[in-house]
Amino acid sequence: MDYAIIADAYGKIEATTKRLEMTDILVDLLKNTSKDVVAKIIYLTQGKLYPDFMGIEIGIAEKLAIKALIRASGRKESEILADLQKTGDLGLATEIQLAKKKQSTFFSKVLTVEHVYESLDKMAKTTGSGAVDTKTAVLAGLLSDASPKEAKYLIRTVTGNLRLGIADMTALEALAIAYGGNKDARGSIERAYNICSDLGRVADILVREGLELVKNMHIMVFEPIRPMLAERLPSPEEILEKFNGKCLAEYKYDGERIQVHKQANIVNLYSRRLENISSQYPDVIELIKKQVNAREAIFEAECVAVDIETGDMRPFQELMHRRRKYGIENAIEKYPISLFAFDLLFVNGKDLTREPLTNRRAALEETLNKNVQLQIATQKTVNTVKELEDFFEQAIGEGCEGLMCKSITKDSVYQAGNRGWLWIKYKRDYKSEMTDTCDLVVVGAFHGRGKRAGAYGALLLASYNPEKDMFETTTKCGTGFTEKDIADLHKMLQSYVIVRRHTRVLSMMEADVWFEPVVVLEVLGAEVTLSPIHTCSMDAIRKSSGFAIRFPRFTGKYRTDKSPQDATNSKEIVAMYQSQLKQITVK
Ligand code: AMP
């Protein structure tokens, strides 16, 4: 099939902004296509060669494309750059340059879609030394045979700038009309796409084998399932109303969504955007191999950065250090993670996506061998606004973003690739930085693990309440300490160890070790939040809620100049909370 037919269709698509017209043009193109190239055309119109999860990209740098263009057109770099500057688009610059050349030369070779696809594929897969030369030569070859218009789209395709604006849904609709009988076939085609994330494969099966076989497509390990998405509501009242008064509330962890695929001893991990991210998480791969009971499984989890010594969750930003090609081993050690699994979609050949959530959840419990690194999302069935609010605060207090509230009716299927009201997220609509440090009193400690074994992993810190003359807990802090701090503090605190909680300490948490409230440390946190587990200013603005400092970090300052009564007092913490709220309303 001639590439010119595609280039023509691209030209028409570019000229319209109407989705219906775009669909019609695509339908025409697909109908004029021989069966064995439909899949290739589907990929090409989206500027791809394969589905995203294969991770094969054409990705030619602009510089290399210009080099190829010079070779193919015989024109000077300065002329090309001048046109590029004028138009801001290398595709247009290419068209102009080749048009000038074609006036004087005549080429008879016709570009076919098959040849273009193979050439692009070769470029995408060439690596190692000499790759640049090979890619330039292949691209120059294509450009020499191309008409100016074809060359425009070729250049845009290889540099990742095709951007025809054909959304998946438009392509699905065009396929339904062209090969599924009519628009009504879209639902089945979409379902097939949602479970395999490969539009080309669905198209191929549709044109070769028909709609019935598309309907029979099933989930396969190593083909990522398009993720189910959540709606959002601002208040617990509205959420409960939507669920007719009852739902399953789950911690909404603040990390990266990972879809885990396992078959025998092979494990692949896919991101929310369905890219294969296995190479970033060799530790997760090992974990899955050891802790998953099933031969085959597909499940979803949130991957969260944690403090290995305390088990506490760390802010999302820390996970970003894992996004790298080199130095992974080092990053694994520096930024350890835990997985919090929340859904099971497939197990040992069985598709669970059409089962209600409670069944999927029960199967998830059976499939995973939980440990510190592989956990299942904390959850609770809630019937009242108060329960939902308390659980929300508990989640925030433990470092989560809020809650995911989920339907537990018999219709609570996994809606692959869709956003719906079966899941509703409840996040805070504010977030602000804590700008000031606090000076807090060490009242207790928790035993350390890993490198901190034998010392304290985290300290329980309190603010001072002068009215009650009590120390009220505000946070558990295990971050910001150097190895020397850990050793010094262990030694320093020995003289203050007492057998049970000090009578002037108000705590709902059980520490492993209690101290006389003497040592004062300076701490900076991310923000002040309401908390059902910390006693600081309990009930001051909400019943059964105290205040906590989220993501606390020791600044390195021992406030030996301060007596415990000089520590930040509990009212000041409330004031910090209120000033944060003000900052938000001002914004
Ligand atoms: P958002 O990104 O704010 O739209 O929220 C949806 C994201 O929350 C999902 O894509 C997951 O990455 C994440 N998440 C965290 N915890 C859960 C959970 N328990 N259930 C579902 N999604 C969760």
Side-chain angles (χ1 to χ4, degrees):
M1 179 176 161
D2 292 355
Y3 186 68
I5 299 179
I6 295 201
D8 258 356
Y10 286 177
K12 288 187 202 149
I13 289 171
E14 252 191 325
T16 178
T17 47
K18 297 193 190 103
R19 206 178 79 91
L20 281 181
E21 267 177 33
M22 207 184 260
T23 313
D24 288 344
I25 301 164
L26 207 53
V27 169
D28 278 346
L29 174 65
L30 291 172
K31 279 187 173 163
N32 283 325
T33 301
S34 61
K35 288 189 174 173
D36 42 335
V37 286
V38 167
K40 292 190 169 90
I41 289 191
I42 288 284
Y43 294 129
L44 286 174
T45 51
Q46 297 197 312
K48 302 173 190 171
L49 295 173
Y50 296 96
D52 290 341
F53 62 86
M54 305 263 293
I56 303 172
E57 286 168 16
I58 318 173
I60 299 285
E62 202 170 80
K63 239 176 152 178
L64 192 152
I66 293 175
K67 233 174 159 183
L69 180 57
I70 296 171
R71 201 182 292 180
S73 65
R75 305 202 70 87
K76 291 203 195 100
E77 184 172 6
S78 56
E79 291 173 313
I80 297 172
L81 290 180
D83 277 338
L84 176 58
Q85 194 145 47
K86 239 187 277 161
T87 58
D89 169 7
L90 189 58
L92 280 180
T94 303
E95 190 176 23
I96 298 169
Q97 289 301 321
L98 281 188
K100 285 181 189 160
K101 176 195 172 188
K102 300 278 150 149
Q103 284 164 4
S104 52
T105 3
F106 179 70
F107 285 87
S108 56
K109 200 164 170 200
V110 174
L111 268 189
T112 64
V113 177
E114 291 86 344
H115 177 58
V116 167
Y117 188 91
E118 268 162 35
S119 307
L120 300 186
D121 196 32
K122 183 167 180 196
M123 282 191 253
K125 289 179 181 160
T126 306
T127 53
S129 68
V132 172
D133 287 342
T134 312
K135 288 179 191 201
T136 316
V138 174
L139 183 55
L142 280 180
L143 292 173
S144 325
D145 292 337
S147 71
K149 187 171 170 185
E150 288 170 336
K152 170 169 80 177
Y153 293 116
L154 278 174
I155 284 285
R156 286 188 187 161
T157 304
V158 297
T159 54
N161 290 312
L162 187 60
R163 298 200 192 104
L164 292 175
I166 300 176
D168 289 349
M169 292 307 137
T170 311
L172 287 168
E173 192 156 316
L175 278 170
I177 299 169
Y179 290 101
N182 56 46
K183 259 192 197 169
D184 299 342
R186 195 186 117 171
S188 314
I189 300 174
E190 188 177 334
R191 160 77 189 169
Y193 172 51
N194 284 336
I195 58 169
C196 76
S197 309
D198 185 346
L199 208 50
R201 195 161 85 83
V202 176
D204 197 50
I205 294 178
L206 181 67
V207 296
R208 284 177 201 265
E209 306 181 60
L211 189 61
E212 281 314 304
L213 274 131
V214 169
K215 287 185 189 163
N216 281 339
M217 281 174 70
H218 46 259
I219 293 178
M220 309 244 281
V221 181
F222 306 133
E223 282 189 359
I225 297 166
R226 298 186 65 238
M228 174 165 175
L229 305 171
E231 287 286 353
R232 179 178 187 152
L233 281 175
S235 73
E237 287 83 2
E238 286 164 274
I239 292 175
L240 274 176
E241 202 186 309
K242 202 82 190 172
F243 289 127
N244 289 324
K246 186 175 172 186
C247 69
L248 185 79
E250 261 176 25
Y251 278 12
K252 183 176 191 304
Y253 298 91
D254 194 6
E256 174 169 25
R257 185 175 190 158
I258 293 190
Q259 196 176 100
V260 178
H261 285 232
K262 171 187 187 277
Q263 189 169 59
N265 220 19
I266 304 176
V267 176
N268 273 352
L269 310 175
Y270 300 95
S271 71
R272 179 190 167 129
R273 297 173 56 198
L274 307 180
E275 294 145 337
N276 188 332
I277 48 168
S278 309
S279 63
Q280 282 172 33
Y281 295 107
D283 47 344
V284 173
I285 306 242
E286 285 314 305
L287 179 72
I288 304 299
K289 283 185 191 166
K290 283 197 204 115
Q291 306 298 128
V292 174
N293 292 326
R295 197 189 111 75
E296 285 183 326
I298 301 178
F299 69 93
E300 285 194 308
E302 193 80 354
C303 176
V304 183
V306 290
D307 185 324
I308 207 109
E309 272 90 20
T310 63
D312 288 349
M313 286 185 259
R314 301 293 308 147
F316 172 72
Q317 290 80 325
E318 294 205 359
L319 206 59
M320 293 303 97
H321 298 284
R322 287 296 199 94
R323 290 237 168 112
R324 56 172 74 199
K325 275 203 175 134
Y326 308 102
I328 295 280
E329 289 307 318
N330 199 6
I332 290 178
E333 204 174 307
K334 236 171 138 192
Y335 303 100
I337 52 87
S338 277
L339 282 197
F340 295 89
F342 57 82
D343 218 319
L344 179 67
L345 312 184
F346 182 84
V347 67
N348 293 337
K350 188 165 181 226
D351 176 354
L352 297 181
T353 58
R354 297 181 202 251
E355 304 257 335
L357 177 60
T358 34
N359 292 8
R360 304 202 300 277
R361 184 66 191 218
L364 183 66
E365 294 273 354
E366 271 174 31
T367 307
L368 304 189
N369 259 333
K370 291 179 275 183
N371 68 6
V372 187
Q373 269 195 298
L374 180 63
Q375 304 188 32
I376 292 189
T378 303
Q379 61 164 204
K380 187 179 178 173
T381 309
V382 293
N383 299 293
T384 67
V385 168
K386 169 93 174 64
E387 274 177 323
L388 192 54
E389 270 176 354
D390 287 349
F391 196 53
F392 175 77
E393 277 172 25
Q394 185 183 319
I396 298 280
E398 288 188 30
C400 293
E401 248 192 317
L403 295 177
M404 269 292 195
C405 301
K406 301 183 176 179
S407 163
I408 38 175
T409 64
K410 64 178 185 356
D411 302 321
S412 55
V413 296
Y414 184 92
Q415 295 176 312
N418 280 302
R419 189 182 297 283
W421 291 103
L422 294 179
W423 287 7
I424 303 175
K425 58 190 163 190
Y426 179 31
K427 293 206 271 195
R428 287 172 309 157
D429 44 8
Y430 65 88
K431 192 157 188 180
S432 73
E433 296 277 302
M434 205 170 134
T435 44
D436 214 358
T437 55
C438 289
D439 300 315
L440 301 174
V441 188
V442 185
V443 296
F446 301 86
H447 296 310
R449 284 184 272 180
K451 270 196 226 149
R452 291 190 189 170
Y456 301 132
L459 302 177
L460 184 60
L461 303 177
S463 54
Y464 179 59
N465 183 332
E467 278 108 52
K468 294 189 188 156
D469 188 26
M470 293 287 268
F471 295 93
E472 301 174 328
T473 70
T474 49
T475 197
K476 197 176 133 193
C477 176
T479 306
F481 302 102
T482 61
E483 276 176 36
K484 182 169 182 314
D485 287 329
I486 297 289
D488 289 353
L489 272 164
H490 193 246
K491 211 158 142 203
M492 184 191 301
L493 287 165
Q494 288 319 297
S495 17
Y496 306 115
V497 172
I498 46 180
V499 280
R500 61 180 70 88
R501 179 168 51 79
H502 194 274
T503 45
R504 283 171 72 209
V505 169
L506 206 57
S507 174
M508 286 164 71
M509 272 190 169
E510 260 317 303
D512 295 332
V513 187
W514 292 105
F515 306 114
E516 254 179 80
V518 178
V519 175
V520 181
L521 302 179
E522 187 183 79
V523 164
L524 181 64
E527 60 180 328
V528 179
T529 61
L530 286 170
S531 161
I533 49 168
H534 284 292
T535 54
C536 167
S537 294
M538 186 59 101
D539 300 329
I541 65 164
R542 222 175 85 82
K543 196 161 164 14
S544 311
S545 273
F547 290 81
I549 293 170
R550 197 157 122 98
F551 297 136
R553 172 179 286 273
F554 174 50
T555 62
K557 266 197 199 150
Y558 295 84
R559 297 303 305 255
T560 43
D561 54 326
K562 285 202 165 180
S563 79
Q565 284 77 335
D566 295 329
T568 303
N569 75 46
S570 301
K571 268 194 179 158
E572 286 176 275
I573 306 245
V574 180
M576 282 177 167
Y577 175 76
Q578 281 163 337
S579 82
Q580 276 176 192
L581 291 184
K582 271 195 210 113
Q583 282 171 28
I584 294 133
T585 23
V586 172
K587 272 183 206 160

